[in-house]
Amino acid sequence: MNLLEKLNLLAEKIDVEVKTLKTLEAVEAFKIKVLGRNGALTDLMKELRNVPKEEKPALGKRANEIRQAINEALDGLTKEIEAEVLQKKMEQETIDVTLPGQPVTQGHPHIIEQVMQQIEDLFLSMGYEIVEGTEIVSDVMNFERVNVPKDHPARDMQDSFYIDDHHLLRTQTSAVQPLVLEQHDFTKGPLKVISPGKVYRRDNDDATHSHQFHQIEGMVVAEGITMGDLLGTLELMSKEIFGENREVRFRPSYFPFTEPSVEVDVSCFKCGGKGCNVCKQSGWIEILGAGMIHPNVLKMSGIDSNKYTGFAFGTGPDRMAMLKYGVNDIRQFYLNDERFLNQFIGGTK
Ligand code: PHE
């Protein structure tokens, strides 16, 4: 048999065998068997060396044709087998809709917001209205109408951010007092309002002071309101935030817009009053300022101060949260560090 006949015979055999290949492994093995270093076709091509010179081109061409045909056939086969494998896999794999999904992380209210909501809920349940003032106010509302005239030294304590000569970022939620007072219709019943929000003071920020913090103002005005009503109300609020068994005490103080004025302390929720590091060994924690609304404030808002009396208090949710959760730097609340904030996902109780 001459080389051409051998080549043609091999080509025929290959045609038949290719049809029997069913797996990618078989295709690969067959390729090596025919085209590899010691493959059938490679062997025949080595014989080319021994044929007469003039026969070489034709034989070489034929050998190349065969090699190309094999490659094409095997490539086609590989694609077919891959497609079949994929098809089978897709038929076998069904989606199990009962498998647990990827959890979606959900946000939660900021800890200060939680404390404020807790206080708001309490006062709503006692029939108070929530009124939100604006953060930019006139100095008339922030100071004059709450009995702090232009030259009053109390202005210095709340040195603030002025926007122009007559407007500033409010230094206290007490700035809503005149608005609420002048708008209230006493023929419809007593005035009972709380007003939560942000306030601003030019403070050198340190661990217990921030230039921006929160307050909740509370006010009740009607005929016959007394300090006893104030005490009872603040006792309820203290128990709501710091737990049952809390006692409240008044210490005399001074605010221009209340007379008499008091600082309000709550018995220490940690040691119960015996003295510890939270209450600085005193057994009491200062939580807010309050008092009976000064007659001048009522009068300036057109209210008959002989007929009506009322109390007001101003409390700081930031400070409450610091005390309750042992946070020793107020700036933590405003850094937006999730490691800090995520400790308070569970609510305030
Ligand atoms: N506005 C006072 C402050 O910011 C708090 C306060 C409010 C005191 C109402 C008495 C009555 O310090």
Side-chain angles (χ1 to χ4, degrees), residues 158 171-172 174 177 201 215 217 255 257-258 289-291 312-314:
Q158 299 191 357
T171 64
Q172 49 185 354
S174 300
Q177 285 194 19
R201 289 182 198 176
Q215 284 192 330
E217 191 86 1
F255 297 102
F257 30 86
T258 46
F313 62 85

Side-chain angles (χ1 to χ4, degrees), residues 222-281:
E223 283 182 64
I225 297 293
T226 68
M227 289 284 271
D229 298 311
L230 174 62
L231 184 65
T233 307
L234 295 178
E235 246 169 27
L236 272 176
M237 183 174 77
S238 304
K239 286 180 179 177
E240 171 70 18
I241 299 295
F242 295 112
E244 282 301 316
N245 308 323
R246 293 282 69 76
E247 281 173 52
V248 167
R249 76 173 184 188
F250 285 169
R251 273 180 298 115
S253 183
Y254 172 78
F255 297 102
F257 30 86
T258 46
E259 182 60 35
S261 299
V262 287
E263 294 284 352
V264 181
D265 297 339
V266 60
S267 59
C268 181
F269 59 90
K270 192 169 176 206
C271 65
K274 287 195 278 295
C276 69
N277 60 332
V278 171
C279 59
K280 301 196 186 97
Q281 310 306 328

Side-chain angles (χ1 to χ4, degrees), residues 82-251:
E82 278 173 352
E84 263 170 45
V85 169
L86 183 65
Q87 181 65 25
K88 274 207 189 113
K89 205 171 159 201
M90 292 207 302
E91 278 164 16
Q92 280 163 4
E93 279 178 10
T94 48
I95 294 169
D96 183 351
V97 292
T98 65
L99 283 174
Q102 298 277 2
V104 179
T105 48
Q106 215 184 1
H108 63 94
H110 190 281
I111 177 61
I112 303 293
E113 184 63 27
Q114 291 180 39
V115 171
M116 304 231 290
Q117 275 174 12
Q118 196 184 350
I119 296 174
E120 285 169 25
D121 285 349
L122 171 73
F123 282 98
L124 281 174
S125 78
M126 298 194 288
Y128 284 59
E129 218 183 302
I130 299 180
V131 174
E132 280 189 54
T134 56
E135 289 176 23
I136 296 176
V137 292
S138 64
D139 66 358
V140 172
M141 288 303 191
N142 195 78
F143 292 124
E144 263 155 73
R145 289 278 300 274
V146 288
N147 210 27
V148 187
K150 280 244 167 346
D151 50 2
H152 198 287
R155 286 202 182 200
D156 289 346
M157 279 166 15
Q158 299 191 357
D159 197 6
S160 186
F161 299 102
Y162 275 82
I163 283 155
D164 58 33
D165 287 349
H166 303 291
H167 295 87
L168 69 159
L169 294 178
R170 66 177 173 192
T171 64
Q172 49 185 354
T173 45
S174 300
V176 300
Q177 285 194 19
L179 276 177
V180 170
L181 286 169
E182 71 189 14
Q183 280 168 12
H184 188 72
D185 179 357
F186 282 94
T187 61
K188 299 227 167 90
L191 180 161
K192 292 161 79 180
V193 160
I194 59 165
S195 184
K198 289 192 183 77
V199 297
Y200 302 83
R201 289 182 198 176
R202 197 221 56 166
D203 254 318
N204 293 325
D205 290 8
D206 63 27
T208 55
H209 294 92
S210 164
H211 62 280
Q212 172 221 285
F213 57 102
H214 297 83
Q215 284 192 330
I216 299 179
E217 191 86 1
M219 301 168 69
V220 172
V221 181
E223 283 182 64
I225 297 293
T226 68
M227 289 284 271
D229 298 311
L230 174 62
L231 184 65
T233 307
L234 295 178
E235 246 169 27
L236 272 176
M237 183 174 77
S238 304
K239 286 180 179 177
E240 171 70 18
I241 299 295
F242 295 112
E244 282 301 316
N245 308 323
R246 293 282 69 76
E247 281 173 52
V248 167
R249 76 173 184 188
F250 285 169
R251 273 180 298 115

